[in-house]
Amino acid sequence: MGICKLAVVALYQRECSHGANPSSPSSFGTCETGTIMLSSVAVAFVLASCVLARPTVTVRNSPITLSFARRINATGIQNLLKIDQARAKEIKNQSKAQRHNATSAAVFGVPATNQVVDYILSVGVGSPPTQFDLLVDTGSSNTWVGAGRAFTVTSTTQTTGDLVEVVYGSGFVIGEEVIDQITLAPGFVIENQSIGVAIEDAGFDGLDGIIGIGPTDLTCGTLFPDETACIATVTDNAFAQGLIDAHEVGISFEPTNTLESTNGEISFGGIDTRKFTGDITFVPITSSSPANEFVGIDQTITYGAAGTPILDTTAGITDTGTTLLLIASDALSAYEAATGAVPDNATGLLRLTPAQFANLESLFFTIGGTTFEFTANAQAFPRALNTAIGGTNDFVYLIVGDIGSLSGEGVDFIDGMTFLERFYTVFDSAGNRFGIATTPFTDATTN
Ligand SMILES: *[C@@H]1O[C@H](CO)[C@@H](O)[C@H](O)[C@H]1NC(C)=O
Ligand SMILES: *[C@@H]1O[C@H](CO)[C@@H](O)[C@H](O)[C@H]1NC(C)=O
Ligand SMILES: *[C@@H]1O[C@H](CO)[C@@H](O)[C@H](O)[C@H]1NC(C)=O
Ligand SMILES: *[C@@H]1O[C@H](CO)[C@@H](O)[C@H](O)[C@H]1NC(C)=O
Ligand SMILES: *[C@@H]1O[C@H](CO)[C@@H](O)[C@H](O)[C@H]1NC(C)=O
């Protein structure tokens, strides 16, 4: 078909062209017909409509289980902490009211560095499907493609006339919102999914986009001109279309010490009972803002047999889009004091000598009354990758890092993937709750 015509000129400038004033400084402002201002980015666009087509739907029993991969870009890894901190900053600044008017400095002042550790799911879009490698993200909820591989219009593509903008801290995307069919696995096809097609993006080298599986509310206000709209996520649509029986996503990932490894599993529509040991502890999503807009929980962290306090009970988030385990600066100081860890200039991470590491004790995370042990080995960055991250074999580098601000600001920790890969976790969006359980890899000595 190829009838959609899209002519886009992205103008990186603060003001609309020809001196026109934005109608609303607090959001997308209309400058003149055909020209809109996306925060500080003016985009002139022409959209022509596409012909509508009818895909078929296949109903399957849930849950549907998919493999996903971890990929590390070793050349970019020195930025790991900075990227995670930039994302943390954007998460803390998040609120529905502000989603669109983050100041230019806040948005574009962050260097558009590359993701260095990606958790990737291959997703088909259209019919016949084009496969895209998408970052699996519980910390955002828009799904979009086209950062790397170009989007191809097929018979299932429909335009919406909306543009979409999402800012991630370490990057952003501005795109055209379309409706299309999403194939997550053979026969598991979500119809009429609203997704973004990137026009401009930064920070996503090596990736084609994001599959956002966080709370639906995170999509509200990301479209223009349909500014009040929210977008049903892939989980929402899979559930609404009867493809899955439960409105939840389970994630498991085995720790790995190789640069690229496909040993993650994501299950839509229920938990995979083969992937955890014991019971799942479920807790309600925290009531503290802004953590409550994400997969936010309350947790307490102590260190060692003596129970040295690291972080008193407070709110934070679990996030597959963050690599490290980030804790508030004051909590990190307590961790450094307890462990003897010092910042390492070469890698940006904390480090220990092998002798100190031999004495490193477990961290204990109390979530919903259950205490989860996070072993010394789990706190180490895989030692087989020390030189790949610019370090040496004389040290053990740690995955516990500084969130970049003091506790008490509503997001006092981010349990990123290096934490999550030691546990099985569940985001139950219908029940507004988070679940966590131990796995055969909780105590693994992989690192
Ligand atoms: C968002 O807009 C409101 C109202 O215009 C303003 O008070 C607030 O400071 C803005 N926030 C940011 C982050 O720019
Ligand atoms: C939001 O971001 C701006 C710019 O980086 C910063 O000055 C401000 O303190 C942040 N606000 C919060 C609540 O973190
Ligand atoms: C998709 O949208 C079309 C109309 O645009 C509708 O006829 C069809 O039923 C929808 N499919 C699903 C599964 O909702
Ligand atoms: C890896 O990181 C380097 C340095 O930041 C960057 O130039 C390169 O594009 C990245 N490659 C991928 C595949 O992300
Ligand atoms: C690490 O960097 C800081 C500031 O850049 C510097 O003061 C310190 O001497 C450096 N430490 C080492 C061990 O290079």
Side-chain angles (χ1 to χ4, degrees):
M1 186 177 63
I3 301 190
C4 293
K5 272 195 207 145
L6 173 65
V8 178
V9 184
L11 307 164
Y12 284 83
Q13 56 185 32
R14 303 243 162 167
E15 307 295 331
C16 298
S17 20
H18 315 304
N21 289 321
S23 62
S24 157
S26 68
S27 191
F28 289 115
T30 305
C31 301
E32 57 194 76
T33 312
T35 304
I36 60 160
M37 197 173 97
L38 296 152
S39 296
S40 63
V41 181
V43 177
F45 71 105
V46 181
L47 298 175
S49 56
C50 292
V51 177
L52 215 144
R54 280 296 143 84
T56 55
V57 65
T58 313
V59 177
R60 284 174 58 114
N61 291 328
S62 69
I64 170 104
T65 293
L66 313 169
S67 327
F68 70 115
R70 180 173 89 170
R71 226 195 257 158
I72 297 182
N73 179 356
T75 60
I77 199 112
Q78 287 85 347
N79 296 321
L80 186 51
L81 180 66
K82 282 188 192 135
I83 288 172
D84 275 3
Q85 285 178 340
R87 182 173 168 98
K89 196 170 174 184
E90 201 59 46
I91 282 168
K92 290 179 71 171
N93 245 340
Q94 188 70 259
S95 81
K96 272 169 248 168
Q98 286 190 337
R99 198 151 291 142
H100 264 165
N101 71 333
T103 56
S104 314
V107 177
F108 296 106
V110 178
T113 41
N114 297 299
Q115 294 286 127
V116 282
V117 183
D118 298 324
Y119 294 86
I120 296 162
L121 188 63
S122 178
V123 171
V125 179
S127 178
T130 305
Q131 290 301 128
F132 294 100
D133 285 346
L134 304 186
L135 183 79
V136 176
D137 192 5
T138 59
S140 71
S141 304
N142 290 72
T143 292
W144 61 273
V145 302
R149 176 171 305 213
F151 175 74
T152 304
V153 172
T154 69
S155 60
T156 54
T157 311
Q158 301 163 240
T159 54
T160 65
D162 277 323
L163 292 173
V164 61
E165 180 194 38
V166 190
V167 175
Y168 298 95
S170 58
F172 71 93
V173 62
I174 293 165
E176 182 200 358
E177 192 75 3
V178 303
I179 304 280
D180 214 326
Q181 143 179 328
I182 304 288
T183 303
L184 289 181
F188 190 82
V189 180
I190 300 167
E191 277 190 61
N192 299 342
Q193 177 65 46
S194 182
I195 62 166
V197 175
I199 296 167
E200 289 289 336
D201 63 271
F204 297 97
D205 283 0
L207 278 175
D208 295 324
I210 288 185
I211 177 164
I213 54 173
T216 312
D217 280 358
L218 286 174
T219 65
C220 305
T222 58
L223 295 180
F224 174 83
D226 207 359
E227 289 175 56
T228 56
C230 303
I231 303 165
T233 64
V234 287
T235 322
D236 294 339
N237 281 328
F239 183 70
Q241 294 173 21
L243 298 172
I244 55 177
D245 301 327
H247 206 151
E248 63 188 18
V249 177
I251 292 177
S252 79
F253 205 94
E254 297 168 19
T256 168
N257 57 17
T258 57
L259 287 177
E260 184 155 355
S261 163
T262 306
N263 58 4
E265 185 205 270
I266 179 165
S267 58
F268 286 90
I271 54 178
D272 184 340
T273 52
R274 295 166 306 173
K275 290 288 173 176
F276 59 92
T277 51
D279 294 326
I280 298 183
T281 296
F282 280 100
V283 287
I285 296 301
T286 183
S287 54
S288 302
S289 176
N292 60 356
E293 292 196 37
F294 297 84
V295 186
I297 58 170
D298 295 312
Q299 86 184 2
T300 310
I301 308 176
T302 62
Y303 174 78
T308 307
I310 299 295
L311 192 57
D312 290 339
T313 307
T314 188
I317 71 165
T318 66
D319 181 24
T320 61
T322 296
T323 304
L324 300 173
L325 166 63
L326 298 183
I327 55 177
S329 306
D330 42 324
L332 194 80
S333 298
Y335 179 74
E336 288 174 359
T339 61
V342 294
D344 177 74
N345 284 359
T347 61
L349 302 179
L350 289 181
R351 72 173 194 220
L352 294 173
T353 63
Q356 288 174 311
F357 181 65
N359 291 321
L360 187 68
E361 294 187 67
S362 296
L363 284 168
F364 294 92
F365 289 70
T366 304
I367 300 170
T370 306
T371 297
F372 294 91
E373 181 171 1
F374 191 65
T375 65
N377 190 272
Q379 294 164 55
F381 193 85
R383 278 167 282 176
L385 300 177
N386 276 3
T387 52
I389 62 171
T392 76
N393 291 325
D394 297 336
F395 298 109
V396 179
Y397 303 96
L398 302 175
I399 55 79
V400 183
D402 184 358
I403 207 169
S405 53
L406 294 173
S407 60
E409 295 187 2
V411 179
D412 291 343
F413 59 85
I414 299 183
D415 292 346
M417 276 306 278
T418 46
F419 174 83
L420 298 175
E421 68 188 23
R422 293 292 173 145
F423 302 98
Y424 187 77
T425 60
V426 182
F427 174 44
D428 173 2
S429 43
N432 202 36
R433 60 183 189 155
F434 168 79
I436 177 167
T438 54
T439 76
F441 302 96
T442 299
D443 300 330
T445 52
T446 322
N447 296 344

